[in-house]
Amino acid sequence: MCGIVGYVGAGNAQDIILDGLSKLEYRGYDSAGISIIESGKMKTRKLSGRLGVLAGSLEKDPISGTIGMGHTRWATHGAPTDDNAHPHTNGKGTIAVIHNGIIENYRPIKDELLALGYKFKSETDTEVIAHLLDHYYEGDLLQAVFKTEARLRGAYALVVMCESSPDEIIAIRHESPIILGVGEGENFIASDIPAILKYTNKVVYIENKDIVRLTRSGYEIFGEDRKRIDRQVRTIEWDLESATKEGYEHFMLKEIYQQPSVISETINRRLDENGSLFLENIAIDEDTIKLINKIYVVGCGTAYHAGLVGRYLLQEFLKVDAQAEIASEFRYSDHYIDDKTLVVIVSQSGETMDTIGALKAAKAKGARILSITNVVGSSIARESDDIFYTWAGPEIAVASTKAYTTQLTAFYILALYFGKLKGTLEDKCYDEILAELKTLPGKVEASLPAFAEKAKAAAQEIKDSKSIFYLGRGLDYYTALEGALKLKEISYIHTEAFPAGELKHGTIALIEEGTPVIAVATQQSIYEKMVSNIKEVKARGAVVTGITRKRNTDLSEVADTVIYLEESFNIFMPLLSVVYPQLLAYYTSLAKGNDVDKPRNLAKSVTVE
């Protein structure tokens, strides 16, 4: 959550910070603020509302300076108000702090500071940091930061400035991501790469518990023991254009249409000169895979839905018990895990706090950790034994689309590769499935124009609905879960997914005349049973859209509308069947006049528990 940008150099800090924050609004957009040292004085301005509110204020009354920091907020403690917006300052306004995360022990610290006479203006946990820094500051900002950080408990990234130290910015990473941008005569701190990519492609991934001191001429990094350490400077290979809309009305639409190319990229990067699979960054060999007797697949939200499909594939191809679990539940459950357990962690950002917690809990019990993530050098990637990068490129829209389909692609590749390695998948079957996998990008691309037209029309029909239901069985139920999530998170229509066979056990009571139902029916072994379930809701007045294969022309006799998919193997239907629900969610949100890329109450990278 929350976007952070800090700058020290010779440029116009206000313009650089606002530009960087504009690339980070997907991380939070309840309020925004900025602190800049102008002519030796700290100037802070912060306002509730989108970043444009702050930008408009600064256009009328700019703040000049070459060192500063800014923040765009996703609210945790306290409502989105001017007072609760970041930066937060000490009483004199000479020390400023911006913060991503949660300070778990802020209440006793606040009580202590109140007893010392400090006054508070906000409801946030962040303000205690500014006053605590003030309490410890004796002319050396870095030492004050060291003392303050030792008092804090929680998950956070902090950036600190002081009027009496006008040439330095200090940042802390504790479980919440920040990156350092290295320039010529200028340096940057930010919560994500797009914020600084316009100015430099040289970055340092700040490790957990690092403290960074930035000046115009350079930077210092201090490890957990507070001794100076070196971190690798990396070159970012993708450019800023990759993070722009490229002519599409919204990032989400662009990212839906990017899916053929990113699925292809995810596959092609794993093919050798003979067209067979090879996996770099994965050191699991034949002996290791044969020792694995249990697999857990762990993720949150959309990543969890991908994990449900992945669990099925790994169990089917490796003939080993596999379970999929929600990360926030997994980390607090007592699982039987040992060195023969493989835990597959799924996270688009690689910074999802609940998922990191699950990873650490599994690792502490001796499990081998394989992560599927889109971000090179992310926390999850660095903590894992093996890594599968999805190569989806930057995903800016809060509602995930291309990250999901590349995660599915990753699971297809992993299941195929491990199945062959273990010997539980015959060579002929491996060759046939791999050949079909290579056709999927073309099949997704071929479906997009027709799906878009049908979704536009359907959106007008459902945009005023009170409730919408998705149904599916087997692998189709996982598509139903993801389709329902997409629709609810950006259209704000109550949408639920149910296993179709469970209807008669209670949930069919929710169906009434005119209720929209979207039924996913692609699994041929249970197709006839799915048709029976559709008839059950039709008998109660539902208006049904069916999603099925081209071969199932008879579905038009039961459903009001049918979306026909390209033919493929059963296991690949979750990837093909999710594209129409993505487009339906997009066009429904658009029809309702919502902010498609920045839905209310949500943020892209969930870095709080």
Side-chain angles (χ1 to χ4, degrees), residues 2-6 13-29 31-35 45 50-52 54-55 58 68-73 86-87 98 189-192 194-196 199 396 598:
C2 301
I4 286 173
V5 180
Q14 175 184 295
D15 292 348
I16 292 168
I17 292 165
L18 287 177
D19 179 70
L21 290 177
S22 72
K23 309 297 193 305
L24 298 178
E25 271 204 288
Y26 65 90
R27 298 181 69 92
Y29 31 85
S31 59
I34 195 167
S35 287
R45 193 171 310 165
R50 296 291 175 91
L51 180 62
L54 176 66
L58 290 168
M69 61 187 187
H71 185 274
T72 180
R73 181 177 185 241
H86 296 217
I98 54 178
I189 203 81
S191 47
D192 207 351
I196 62 170
Y199 308 99
I396 305 301
K598 302 182 183 73

Side-chain angles (χ1 to χ4, degrees), residues 252-328:
M252 183 178 178
L253 187 62
K254 170 196 167 184
E255 289 156 9
I256 291 171
Y257 275 83
Q258 282 182 317
Q259 288 178 117
S261 63
V262 296
I263 294 168
S264 179
E265 181 78 357
T266 302
I267 296 169
N268 290 336
R269 281 180 177 264
R270 275 79 189 191
L271 299 177
D272 63 21
E273 63 275 8
N274 299 316
S276 295
L277 292 174
F278 78 97
L279 299 184
E280 60 182 355
N281 300 317
I282 293 178
I284 297 175
D285 58 17
E286 182 178 350
D287 292 337
T288 304
I289 200 65
K290 286 181 177 178
L291 287 174
I292 297 296
N293 60 19
K294 183 87 172 182
I295 299 174
Y296 289 99
V297 183
V298 182
C300 298
T302 287
Y304 169 67
H305 297 158
L308 288 167
V309 178
R311 177 216 64 83
Y312 173 91
L313 295 168
L314 292 168
Q315 182 165 282
E316 185 75 12
F317 286 21
L318 275 67
K319 308 303 179 188
V320 64
D321 182 38
Q323 297 182 30
E325 298 210 22
I326 296 169
S328 57

Side-chain angles (χ1 to χ4, degrees), residues 252-253 255-256 259 300-306 348 395 397-405 407 462 468 470 478-497 518 577-590 592 594-597 599 602 604:
M252 183 178 178
L253 187 62
E255 289 156 9
I256 291 171
Q259 288 178 117
C300 298
T302 287
Y304 169 67
H305 297 158
Q348 181 272 330
E395 188 179 66
V398 168
S400 179
T401 52
K402 65 175 180 173
Y404 177 74
T405 48
Q407 287 164 358
I462 67 171
I468 298 173
Y470 270 85
Y478 306 149
T479 300
L481 285 168
E482 178 60 13
L485 177 61
K486 287 286 96 59
L487 192 55
K488 74 175 75 172
E489 66 185 341
I490 63 171
S491 76
Y492 317 144
I493 299 172
H494 171 252
T495 312
E496 294 297 333
I518 301 158
S577 61
V578 78
V579 178
Y580 176 78
Q582 291 172 345
L583 287 162
L584 181 63
Y586 171 79
Y587 284 112
T588 304
S589 179
L590 199 63
K592 290 176 69 68
N594 296 341
D595 189 334
V596 173
D597 288 333
L602 298 178
K604 184 66 176 174

Side-chain angles (χ1 to χ4, degrees), residues 547-562:
I547 300 175
T548 192
R549 308 161 175 260
K550 285 184 175 179
R551 73 176 73 169
N552 296 325
T553 56
D554 60 314
L555 194 62
S556 62
E557 300 170 11
V558 183
D560 297 278
T561 304
V562 181

